[in-house]
Amino acid sequence: MLYSDLPLEGPTVRPAARPRRAPGEARPSHWRLADIDFGAIDRTALADDPLAFRIVFMASLIETGAEVYAGNLVRYFAGDVELAGWLRGAWEPEELQHGRALRTYVERAWPHVDWQGTFDRFFATYSRTCTVADLAPSPALELAARCMVETGTAALYGALHRHASEPVLKDLAGCIFSDEVRHYKHFYRHFLLYQARERRSRWRVGRTLFARLAETRTGDGEHAYRALEQTVPALAEESYRDFTREVGAFIRANAPPDMPVRMGLKPLSLPQVVEDWIVRHAAPAYAWWTGGALPYSIGRPTDEPRRR
């Protein structure tokens, strides 16, 4: 299955019971942890893939920490019953499921590496930087920032799915990719609702998108890298900046730019002809983003503090 072939959405209700699915089988519209056959992990297929180790391990830390940011969003949107209900009842559980699945994969694939100790170090620093006060100054702008976050995570997991030679990892990355695209669509729908009320200028929305994009060069990813570096001292031989460049090259090789560029542009509501032109000429901007950014992040400040 190719990056562009992955199903993008579907109902979240599923049968009460279903036999475990083997790697490579068609998956249902949504998935459970029990659907991933972690016992089938082929560790020999990972032996020569140190980048996959770092990406998957760091993603497991960041996704497991999603509860803090999700709680912030629920409080921020407490007055919006529909959105707060979806955040609490669907988005947060699915993000935490990503964390549990990735942690399980890490502990089965690389059992000699201390996941819990690494997570504790990551969370000790991350939790101090993630507060409600750090969110955007208006709901529309915060939802635009969320769209950019989901764009980045979709690009990363889509690239990981396309790259992975280990069947269980390929399957898991595809499942998470589908979730991230569906989450993007939900955040974008609510962005449109708030934008109709707030009428933020295209310039203002663009500033928020760019600030969120630029912020992926530091933040959660760097916290995760530093925590893993203490667990695996050999990583200290490579700087975090060099690592982000390596991840960028990985994404460019495995995630075609058309989809993430269009996702990133959507909140600007550009005329279709303008959007199409930008997509056709997006290679330099895509190279800049992937050249120095680590596009998984569960939430950091946009470009100014929340209005109190």
Side-chain angles (χ1 to χ4, degrees):
M1 182 181 292
L2 298 177
Y3 179 83
S4 58
D5 296 330
L6 288 165
L8 301 187
E9 60 182 332
T12 57
V13 178
R14 58 192 303 124
R18 180 170 46 250
R20 185 182 295 273
R21 185 166 47 85
E25 284 185 38
R27 61 175 170 274
S29 56
H30 197 251
W31 59 285
R32 300 172 304 179
L33 200 61
D35 295 326
I36 307 298
D37 189 2
F38 294 103
I41 293 173
D42 179 6
R43 290 167 63 184
T44 62
L46 300 166
D48 297 321
D49 198 347
L51 182 60
F53 163 72
R54 287 172 288 169
I55 290 174
V56 175
F57 204 115
M58 292 169 60
S60 75
L61 304 177
I62 293 169
E63 297 276 15
T64 303
E67 185 174 9
V68 175
Y69 190 72
N72 290 343
L73 280 184
V74 169
R75 288 189 291 276
Y76 187 94
F77 289 105
D80 185 331
V81 175
E82 180 187 353
L83 180 53
W86 175 76
L87 289 168
R88 184 185 300 108
W91 181 70
E92 179 181 1
E94 290 180 11
E95 292 295 300
L96 292 176
Q97 177 172 282
H98 298 169
R100 289 192 298 273
L102 289 165
R103 174 183 181 172
T104 302
Y105 188 91
V106 166
E107 292 183 328
R108 296 289 188 91
W110 300 285
H112 58 289
V113 183
D114 177 17
W115 187 92
Q116 186 62 58
T118 308
F119 176 76
D120 291 343
R121 284 190 294 275
F122 161 75
F123 194 75
T125 55
Y126 167 71
S127 60
R128 294 196 299 269
T129 68
C130 186
T131 68
V132 174
D134 289 324
L135 302 182
S138 82
L141 295 176
E142 178 57 32
L143 288 164
R146 286 309 316 169
C147 288
M148 185 55 72
V149 171
E150 302 298 334
T151 297
T153 53
L156 179 72
Y157 289 115
L160 187 60
H161 168 82
R162 191 172 188 178
H163 162 83
S165 59
E166 200 291 302
V168 180
L169 180 57
K170 178 178 284 292
D171 197 38
L172 176 57
C175 287
I176 299 176
F177 167 78
S178 293
D179 284 351
E180 300 295 358
V181 175
R182 182 165 42 78
H183 295 167
Y184 171 94
K185 292 181 177 183
H186 207 99
F187 282 119
Y188 178 67
R189 180 170 70 84
H190 283 277
F191 163 76
L192 292 178
L193 294 174
Y194 278 100
Q195 176 66 349
R197 303 173 208 168
E198 297 180 22
R199 303 182 65 82
R200 299 286 173 176
S201 69
R202 188 172 287 141
W203 169 253
R204 186 66 187 85
V205 173
R207 279 181 57 198
T208 296
L209 295 174
F210 183 81
R212 189 62 191 86
L213 183 62
E215 200 282 325
T216 58
R217 293 168 178 262
T218 56
D220 311 340
E222 187 166 9
H223 290 315
Y225 189 84
R226 299 305 176 204
L228 183 57
E229 187 179 59
Q230 293 181 56
T231 301
V232 184
L235 293 182
E237 298 175 4
E238 179 182 41
S239 71
Y240 177 69
R241 180 67 173 169
D242 288 341
F243 169 69
T244 61
R245 291 194 183 99
E246 192 176 355
V247 172
F250 167 83
I251 292 173
R252 289 194 300 277
N254 293 286
D258 184 87
M259 181 177 178
V261 171
R262 288 191 186 278
M263 290 170 70
L265 292 174
K266 272 291 185 185
L268 294 175
S269 299
L270 297 169
Q272 190 62 52
V273 64
V274 176
E275 180 181 311
D276 291 343
W277 186 92
I278 293 174
V279 170
R280 288 196 302 272
H281 298 85
Y286 192 63
W288 171 82
W289 174 49
T290 57
L294 187 61
Y296 46 50
S297 177
I298 50 182
R300 295 274 296 131
T302 52
D303 56 341
E304 59 185 87
R306 181 186 176 188
R307 186 172 56 241
R308 297 184 185 280

